[in-house]
Amino acid sequence: MPESKKVVIKVDINDNDEKRKALKAVSGLSGIDSLAMDMKDKKMTIVGDVDPVDVIGKLKNWHADVLSVGHAKEENKEPEKKDI
């Protein structure tokens, strides 16, 4: 199974209509586990097995810059407990 990545992209979006269109454009890509947009910082966060170049291609109607690409952290992973 491919390893999930976390991609953070700065997107020049000014209103909720543009936000909706941008999220819809990116959501069509395969391999996305989660997709979120922070309107305050104008950052889109994509988690999943996705190529950042493909994401930028989908956002061609808006000025978009890749801020970071890294491993997605498993948030709900609990440490293993040993019974003694």
Side-chain angles (χ1 to χ4, degrees), residues 12-39:
D12 189 20
I13 291 178
N14 298 312
D15 60 32
N16 283 332
D17 190 43
E18 288 183 358
K19 172 186 170 182
R20 181 184 55 80
K21 290 177 183 176
L23 289 173
K24 184 176 181 182
V26 173
S27 68
L29 293 171
S30 64
I32 294 178
D33 295 331
S34 74
L35 181 61
M37 181 74 194
D38 180 2
M39 289 298 287

Side-chain angles (χ1 to χ4, degrees), residues 3 5 9 11 13 17 25-26 30-31 36 39 41 45 52-53 58 63 65 79 82:
E3 191 168 326
K5 291 181 268 192
I9 298 176
V11 186
I13 291 178
D17 190 43
V26 173
S30 64
M39 289 298 287
D41 295 333
T45 304
V53 176
K58 291 290 185 177
H63 179 75
D65 295 314
K82 294 183 180 179

Side-chain angles (χ1 to χ4, degrees), residues 25-70:
V26 173
S27 68
L29 293 171
S30 64
I32 294 178
D33 295 331
S34 74
L35 181 61
M37 181 74 194
D38 180 2
M39 289 298 287
K40 180 182 169 205
D41 295 333
K42 297 186 178 183
K43 292 181 183 176
M44 183 180 289
T45 304
I46 303 116
V47 176
D49 181 36
V50 64
D51 187 355
V53 176
D54 292 339
V55 175
I56 294 294
K58 291 290 185 177
L59 295 171
K60 64 183 177 237
N61 294 336
W62 302 273
H63 179 75
D65 295 314
V66 176
L67 296 179
S68 68
V69 178

